[in-house]
Amino acid sequence: TGCDFLLFAKHRGWLSYVHGGLVNLRHIRAIAGKEVYHLVRDFRSLYLAFAVPLLLILLFGYALSLDVEHIETVVVDSDKTDLSRDFLRRLGASPYFRVDAFLPDTKAVTEALDRGTAQLALIIPPGWTADLRAEREASVQVILDGSDPNFAGIARAYITGFIETYNRRLLGEFLNRRGMEKIRPPVEGRIRVWFNEDLESRNFIVPGIIAIIIMIVGAMLTSLVIAREYENGTMETLRSLPISAGELLAGKAIPYFLIGLTDVLIAILMGQVLFGIVMKANFWLMILASSIYLLVALTLGLLISSVTKSQMVANQMAVLITYLPSLLLSNFVFPVINMPSFLQFFSAVVPATYYIDILSGIYLRGLGLAYLWGDFAVLTGMFLLLAAANCLVLKREGL
């Protein structure tokens, strides 16, 4: 059974107490060894611990992007003049637009938008160039697919900026022909981007994946370990052994702590090698933050396991309590400030919220402990609270 290792260790004298100590390191080592033995036998747990995190890094790193580029664009040029062709040529040269087709009429535009083969349509009416050269207002119709409001909003800003740039060019040519000085706008915005100069969402997403990986390895795997003892009927044997609740929790957590820390190091390496993302702050500060957050995940998973006493229920609870909030309510993908007030309040108790803030400070801002100590303190407090709750639950169970 699962406790044969402990019983064998007891008969060999490996479980003798350390005089004056609060915990027995040999007890912890024996429990950790038994858990490692179970991990080796159960290849599915090892697959979940290593293969899934690697897959997440690749999928999120390459597939998930909040950047809007290469907008699928179709155009109708009813003017067919040198100026209309120049306008469309400049549009196609922009990195934000990809002109896929020149359509004959607006009916074809409607069909392209209905089928989803185009996200933006631009229609130049007849006489457009004649109006421009006669110094009259010349309109261009732009139709956007608003199925995805975020995408449509960004695309609208891009096309508006493109048209304004083209207008400034035409205005400059007009003033030059008249021999007039170029008009300077009264307000000049000099924009400088800090921390993520290239505005690449990948620079924020890839480090944030580490928070999701730790929750998968830490909480979802450990949510099964105590429940497994109940289902296998070995919890009664554990109660009869001279071990404390703290020793049982530490022994159960140590293998998963080492696995989680290994996954963090792999994620850091893959982020640097595959995506060129290098942390700007101290490496050891990153390891310290990851260790504390990993301890929070481990104790949360163990608490779920102790309370539910069922592996199936524990796994479902772990997904609802740890993985989904870490993904949705931690400022990782969706800004919390845009959420309803009750969800903003709930996000304050999600550990990933503070860890992702630390990751942003370490990877993008180059901050040190002097700026991040508040997040460290919250995560440390969560760990101590969850550890105390675990010990209380197990002591009530007779340990």
Side-chain angles (χ1 to χ4, degrees), residues 252-263:
K252 292 285 188 182
I254 284 175
Y256 299 99
F257 179 84
L258 297 177
I259 291 174
L261 208 54
T262 302
D263 283 333

Side-chain angles (χ1 to χ4, degrees), residues 211 215 293 296-297 300 321-322 325-326 330 346-357 375 378-379 382 386:
M215 271 300 165
Y293 179 64
V296 173
L300 182 55
I321 295 177
T322 63
S326 299
S330 61
F346 185 70
S347 68
V349 299
V350 176
T353 301
Y354 305 96
Y355 182 61
I356 288 178
D357 190 45
D375 296 315
V378 173
L379 289 177
M382 287 183 174
L386 290 169

Side-chain angles (χ1 to χ4, degrees), residues 209-279:
I209 293 298
I210 301 175
I212 309 300
I213 291 173
I214 289 179
M215 271 300 165
I216 291 177
V217 176
M220 295 185 68
L221 286 182
T222 54
S223 66
L224 306 177
V225 296
I226 303 296
R228 185 172 58 241
E229 303 291 353
Y230 282 104
E231 290 188 351
N232 293 339
T234 54
M235 196 63 186
E236 292 296 330
T237 307
L238 288 174
R239 290 193 187 101
S240 66
L241 295 175
I243 59 174
S244 65
E247 292 167 351
L248 176 64
L249 292 171
K252 292 285 188 182
I254 284 175
Y256 299 99
F257 179 84
L258 297 177
I259 291 174
L261 208 54
T262 302
D263 283 333
V264 169
L265 295 175
I266 293 173
I268 293 173
L269 181 62
M270 290 184 66
Q272 183 170 348
V273 173
L274 297 180
F275 307 107
I277 301 173
V278 182
M279 65 181 69

Side-chain angles (χ1 to χ4, degrees), residues 13 58 79 124 127 206 213 222 246 251 290 295-296 306 336 351 356 387 393:
L58 294 175
D79 194 42
I124 300 178
V206 172
I213 291 173
T222 54
S290 301
L295 289 174
V296 173
S306 300
V336 173
I356 288 178
V393 170

